[in-house]
Amino acid sequence: MNYEKIGSASGIVIAVSKSDKHTFSKENCSSIKLLKGLGVEGDAHLGKTVKHRSRVASNPNQPNLRQVHLIHSELLDELKDSFNVTAGQMGENITTQGIDLLKLPRDTVLYIGETGVIKVTGLRNPCIQIDQFKPGLMKAVLDRDKQGKLIRKAGIMSIVLESGEVHPGDQVRIQLPPLPYRPLERV
């Protein structure tokens, strides 16, 4: 994989979304505020420890590696022939364009807007709620590579390193982590 090409890429924010309840979809907003070490202000997943209900049930003291969820709009384009899915409907806080989020190595830092900084922690692991939202969507966001390894396409998760406002139209800049690069795994 050509990480240097990825590291020199940049993208833009297409939409920002949040929900103060544990709903599958999130509502689009004119902006969201990233809070250092916590996540998105006003979002149900805000916090230093896990907020995802199944993870809270297993161990409520785990660190929250899922503070901010990102999906690339190219996935929505890929799905449009079979599913009418728009930004925020798959639960993401930030919808991007121009960055292959799934190919970023773990611990990549993304600079978003003027001051927001997040660090990529891993892949979103889609759950049954995705099929409750749109029957068949789970299969559409899972794939297999040539070796039969599962590919999760439902976005990436991250933590907030520096607070900041994020708006549609903001630029996203990539800073790759130190070598050796580690591939994303589900978190």
Side-chain angles (χ1 to χ4, degrees):
M1 182 168 311
N2 187 349
Y3 285 110
E4 286 68 37
K5 184 176 180 183
I6 293 171
S8 65
S10 67
I12 60 168
V13 174
I14 298 299
V16 293
S17 312
K18 67 180 179 178
S19 175
D20 62 355
K21 295 179 178 56
H22 284 281
T23 57
F24 180 75
S25 296
K26 297 181 186 289
E27 290 192 33
N28 293 152
C29 307
S30 59
S31 68
I32 58 172
K33 185 169 185 178
L34 303 176
L35 299 177
K36 182 178 180 175
L38 297 172
V40 176
E41 183 177 63
D43 192 79
H45 291 96
L46 179 77
K48 290 183 181 191
T49 58
V50 295
K51 301 303 175 200
H52 194 272
R53 289 183 282 186
S54 67
R55 291 169 192 266
V56 168
S58 69
N59 177 359
N61 299 315
Q62 299 175 63
N64 187 2
L65 301 178
R66 302 164 59 98
Q67 294 174 357
V68 183
H69 177 199
L70 295 89
I71 286 182
H72 51 295
S73 65
E74 292 82 356
L75 174 64
L76 305 179
D77 293 341
E78 177 185 324
L79 297 170
K80 73 180 174 188
D81 290 339
S82 302
F83 303 93
N84 182 21
V85 181
T86 59
Q89 286 188 317
M90 288 180 44
E92 76 273 18
N93 300 109
I94 301 174
T95 311
T96 65
Q97 183 178 58
I99 300 172
D100 191 344
L101 298 174
L102 304 178
K103 290 188 178 169
L104 296 174
R106 192 171 4 163
D107 296 329
T108 295
V109 174
L110 300 176
Y111 295 85
I112 305 176
E114 291 186 29
T115 59
V117 183
I118 62 175
K119 180 167 72 170
V120 177
T121 57
L123 295 168
R124 175 191 185 189
N125 190 35
C127 67
I128 192 67
Q129 285 184 319
I130 204 164
D131 270 345
Q132 293 167 349
F133 169 63
K134 300 265 184 184
L137 186 56
M138 174 82 98
K139 185 176 180 183
V141 297
L142 296 174
D143 206 351
R144 299 249 176 218
D145 65 15
K146 293 176 184 176
Q147 293 76 35
K149 183 179 175 189
L150 186 63
I151 299 171
R152 293 170 175 87
K153 301 188 296 185
I156 63 170
M157 307 307 285
S158 63
I159 59 172
V160 180
L161 298 181
E162 294 296 334
S163 299
E165 293 258 341
V166 180
H167 306 83
D170 282 349
Q171 184 177 28
V172 181
R173 296 177 330 275
I174 300 169
Q175 179 183 324
L176 294 173
L179 291 169
Y181 298 139
R182 297 178 300 159
L184 296 177
E185 297 175 0
R186 69 182 179 96
V187 292

